[in-house]
Amino acid sequence: MLVALLAGLLPFVKMSLVVNGLVLASIIGLGAIGLTLIYGILNMANVAHGDYMTLGAYVALFFAGTLIPALGAEGGGIGPFTFGYPLLVAMPLSIAAVAAFAVAVDRLIYRRLRERGVNVVLVSMASLGVAIALRGLVQLIWSGDVQRLPRESREVWRLPMDVRVPPDSLFIAVVAIALVAATYLVLSRTKMGKAMRATADNPDLALVSGISTQRVIQWTWVMGAALAATAGVLLAVFQANIIPIMGWKFLIPLFAAVILGGVGSPYGALAGALIIGVTMEVSTQWINPSYKPAAAFALMLLVLLMRPRGLFGPRQ
Amino acid sequence: MALLEASEVVAGYGETEVLHGVSVVVDEGEVVTIIGPNGCGKSTLMKAVVGLVRVRSGGVAFRGAPIEGLPPERIVRTGLCYVPQTNNVFPSLTIRENLEMGAFVREGDYRTRMDEMFALFPDLTRQPNRRAGSLSGGQRQMLAIARALMLDPVLLLLDEPSAGLAPAMVSTVFERIREVNRAGVAVLLVEQNAWEALRMSDRGYLLVAGESRLEAAGRELLDDPDVARLYLGGRAT
Amino acid sequence: MDLLGIVDYLVGFAIMAGIYAVFALGLNVHWGFTGLFNIGIAGFFALGAYTAALLTTSSPDAAQFEDFAFAGNWSNLPLLDWGVDAWYVMGLAAAALCCGLVALPVGYVTLRLRDDYLAIATLGIAETVRLVFLNEKWLANGSKGLYRIPEFLGDVVSPGAYDYLYLPVVLVVLAVVFVAVQTAVRSPWGRVLRAIREDETAAAASGKDVFRFKLQAFVLGAMIMGVGGALFAHHVRFLAPITFDPLLATFVIWAMLMVGGSGNNWGAVLGAFVVWGIWSGTQFLPGPLGEPSFRLFMIGVLIVSVIVLRPGGMLGEERRTARGAPQAQAVGEG
Amino acid sequence: MAATAPILQVQDVVKDFDGLRAVDHCTFDVWPDAITGLIGPNGAGKTTLFNLLSGALAPTSGRIIFDGRRIDGMEMHETFGLGLVRTFQIPREMARMTVLENLMLVPAPQLGERLWASWLTPWRVARQERRIEAQALDALGLVSLSHLANEYAGNLSGGQKKLLELARTLMAEPKMVLLDEPGAGVNRILLRSIASNILRASVERGVAFIIIEHDMQLVMALCDPIVVMANGSVIAQGTPLQVQQDPRVLEAYLGGQIHGAA
């Protein structure tokens, strides 16, 4: 019904906002899929997820903006994009770094709490502590000031229906779609991906099937963090700047997408991200653009009021 | 040497001790059934053997090696697979994926084994990509058994495979279990449906209140007048 | 620093710690007693502070701002003049009321659902409140902020001596809040809250309308946070959206409650003083150790360490024993 | 049976989970002066039925009438308010609250549960608290847990938690109590005291009981009538003797034609 309503509004909406919304949605989607996987398998709300995104953006900045130029490898731009080759090198490095960080934090903190059998809310609480510490660490290393990735081009594409998009949007969408497809393949084709879904379904049966929960959890963190790091880099490209609070601010659309899609469902999170992303951008046609996060929040409350388990969650 | 030897197993949940020293032996290729009234600890014994419930004292040996205290994912690698009574499939995974999960620790190719399973359980063959959550009770039970068999175990532990099934389905399930056993797999069965189960068993144990009361050949246990009395109250002699 | 300087510093310190203690008590009602996971304290903090400020602050020179209409300064209305700064008290009450009114509908939607949905909801409140005060320039001057928020009792003391007047005010309000919270959580009402925290289903099986009690606790905690915000507004006398950064308006308060001992009101107050002491003390540390970023990092580490190493905090929860019952043997914590 | 009208009527109740039918067209009555036993093999749907009766779950179809009022679909605190109290198979205590507090929580409605009351009229709350405390100490005495009144409930042993559950139901002054396996994990002596407490509550206070229990000795000695469930349906009901001799019951428990085999 909600979808029909949104579709009905479509003729009155500026297409460029919809396009922008889809780009934003692909970033939200990357973050939300990771978040919902962690939610489904570890049963915890990872409040630090936004800060994993931040970390991803900063690590990429370090490689693309500091280390690679310092090594003298002048990249130059790639076609019309604002960034150069260094970013393409930096992205996988950033993914690896954030994934390693996430696994280490799990070993050091969450695993101990799990073994003690504490309430899941307390584990989420611990992730709040991790979020705070991580942000402090980021500020300590990179300072709290606004930073920018090196910018090589300022082109804008003009498309029909008065749509103007920076070429970067295409890049963001392509990377996001590729990663979502990769995630889908991992979850549906690889043994570990299936084991992750199996563990989310029924942890005890997974155990007696010989699936090591410990390893599943480790890979969940690797995937979730990798997606978060990518989302962070793409967000940095999208908003053309990097600040320590960018990830924390992004938590609202992330969780809104997860909750809309039904906790634990990767496909639901993706659909939720589309709705949230487009709503956020399109809302700016009528309201002050800085209220975008509030629009996402309001939509989430509205949906929870009507469908407490999300749009795509189980009915019972 | 016995295949499985549980001796004087004491186990329970939290503060509650359910098993007060139960001993059960299964030999190669045997079907052994444990019967007993509700709450006597049959399921707990199963869970203790596979490592889901901690064994507080006593021992469990499989093929001569002690396995008590090992985590479940290690125990299944020794060739001992378990089918829980309820929640025994992964509902959001397809039939094929459920079977793959059964073969999780298997090295190398498991496709031949999967084909064997589809041959053994023809009900599952028709729609291998159907989600397990949408199967009927009987089909789920077949899938659950097939999942456990994917590892080619020497011993299969089945917790009440007939529970909640329609009578016609019950005999089909038992027929399949017999076929599994004919293929050389020893089966340890916990059953409410004592009559059907004991008929196909080599031996049976009667468990009452966390203690083994009687051990006998399957049919003898069946004919023991004490059994009915123990089930429905009254005093055993 | 001479002696007077030290006393000045200590008084200023005690005011801030006292205000934070009010927040810690509010958070204790949420988390410590009921298990409600609120990570958007900043929202209620800001809402309370702005409400009190808007009620009492007279309009700055409007000519300096283009789209600033100023929605506040109700104390100009000749409605009430009861002598001893009735408007200050009105401000406190209005701050509490506003926070309660915001908490009510949001709690109504989310408190029936998973425990952690509330966390996201409170985060949403915090962000929305911040955005409103940032963008609605007519309301509270946007990013430039409100200033010249009046002192308690107007301008009876010189600005330099104001802290000496304000400390007792803060301590009195803290005492009132403390007694109110302590009374409430020790009453049968608080018993139901703790039961809900321990096992929601069992509390429902004991006939308690879990949702209603959670909603009451959420609103009460939010109102206390509103009072804290109002106290803060009249202390620093300058508010801007940037004041309510999650670090100082949410995270530090969590650290206070966790360190002091959640579920214990004395612990909440103690935690506020200890953590604020560490926070403001470390600014004198040399080099990078004194930097806000490092202190932020430490706050995070502190919260995680308490959860992992000493979940009860410094004081832990008090056990409520009955005089009429025989004494139990000493047994370790459950 | 002396009572004229049943206190609880279960009419054609069905509950489906995820395509599986856990309770299948159940119909039976419970009389106010009786201790009704609910037995049946594992997976028969007994605990699900309890969840439906107490309001933890809503039935897929059918009607449940308690004390003249429809209660299907009500929430747990609402059925409690009508005098229908349940216990859990695995005791659910408030671990970080004392035993006494666990009991004092129960009576409803309490004046002090209104937030204002403890601020504005503390003396009235205190008076009521003293009464409830005395009542709770009484209940503890009945189940012989007085010495543990100030202990954290989480520190009790499994059997003591069972007794606490029982005391909790006594505190509620209920019309009907649903007991889910009061005997599980409880030693013989404790079991006897639980049984005598149930009997006393039934006779002296006229409380109706439905008991799920696997200890057949206890069921046969305590309960009359007995309702037998299998595969989600009621397959027999009657006196202990009738049930014991009913071939369908034996079949449900032991499967197949046991007499034919002999």
Side-chain angles (χ1 to χ4, degrees), chain A residues 1 42 47 49-50 60 73 75 89 99 102 112 120-121 125 131 151 162 177 211 223 229 246-247 262 265 277 292 305:
Chain A
M1 194 195 72
L42 286 96
V47 179
H49 209 72
V89 180
R112 289 186 195 202
V120 283
V121 183
M125 180 71 236
R151 213 173 162 79
D162 201 22
I177 290 169
I211 297 170
M223 272 182 71
M246 62 192 266
S265 152
K292 276 193 278 185
L305 200 59

Side-chain angles (χ1 to χ4, degrees), chain A residues 188 191-192 194-195 197-199 201-202 204-213 215, chain B residues 52 72-73 76-77 82 84 87-93 97 100-101 104-106 147:
Chain A
S188 64
K191 208 166 156 183
M192 187 42 79
K194 290 174 198 171
R197 285 161 57 216
T199 306
D201 258 12
N202 189 338
D204 267 0
L205 190 64
L207 268 181
V208 297
S209 299
I211 297 170
S212 152
T213 315
R215 268 180 65 206
Chain B
L52 284 177
E73 79 249 27
V76 294
R77 284 164 207 260
Y82 161 68
N87 297 327
N88 49 20
V89 296
F90 300 109
S92 77
L93 270 58
E97 287 172 335
E100 282 176 55
M101 286 302 104
F104 189 80
V105 299
R106 209 182 154 112
R147 181 201 57 78

Side-chain angles (χ1 to χ4, degrees), chain A residues 59-296:
Chain A
V59 174
L61 173 75
F62 167 72
F63 286 114
T66 312
L67 189 66
I68 297 179
L71 292 174
E74 273 309 315
I78 319 169
F81 300 120
T82 60
F83 49 84
Y85 294 105
L87 190 74
L88 296 185
V89 180
M91 214 147 79
L93 293 172
S94 154
I95 287 174
V98 179
F101 180 83
V103 170
V105 167
D106 184 71
R107 282 274 168 86
L108 212 64
I109 300 164
Y110 304 137
R111 191 202 245 176
R112 289 186 195 202
L113 295 177
R114 278 199 301 274
E115 280 167 4
R116 217 193 287 152
V118 304
N119 186 335
V120 283
V121 183
L122 201 63
V123 185
S124 294
M125 180 71 236
S127 78
L128 176 66
V130 170
I132 298 167
L134 183 52
R135 180 124 64 87
L137 205 60
V138 163
Q139 281 186 24
L140 206 56
I141 302 174
W142 285 283
S143 94
D145 306 331
V146 178
Q147 313 235 18
R148 286 171 211 289
L149 288 164
R151 213 173 162 79
E152 314 280 353
S153 148
R154 292 179 189 281
E155 220 178 297
V156 173
W157 285 338
R158 282 161 218 280
L159 303 179
M161 292 181 76
D162 201 22
V163 175
R164 306 168 67 174
V165 287
D168 284 358
S169 294
L170 179 70
F171 172 76
I172 292 171
V174 167
V175 171
I177 290 169
L179 267 171
V180 167
T183 308
Y184 171 76
L185 287 177
V186 167
L187 287 178
S188 64
R189 298 288 154 82
T190 68
K191 208 166 156 183
M192 187 42 79
K194 290 174 198 171
M196 283 163 67
R197 285 161 57 216
T199 306
D201 258 12
N202 189 338
D204 267 0
L205 190 64
L207 268 181
V208 297
S209 299
I211 297 170
S212 152
T213 315
Q214 214 58 259
R215 268 180 65 206
V216 165
I217 287 175
Q218 190 172 320
W219 282 104
T220 308
W221 280 113
V222 167
M223 272 182 71
L227 292 169
T230 316
V233 177
L234 296 183
L235 184 63
V237 173
F238 184 66
Q239 59 190 26
N241 62 39
I242 301 180
I243 49 169
I245 204 166
M246 62 192 266
W248 178 261
K249 285 278 160 66
F250 216 63
L251 272 185
I252 295 171
L254 283 187
F255 273 102
V258 167
I259 290 174
L260 239 57
V263 166
S265 152
Y267 310 125
L270 199 60
L274 282 177
I275 294 174
I276 291 291
V278 173
T279 307
M280 279 171 79
E281 286 296 329
V282 169
S283 70
T284 63
Q285 190 170 344
W286 297 285
I287 61 172
N288 186 332
S290 45
Y291 282 123
K292 276 193 278 185

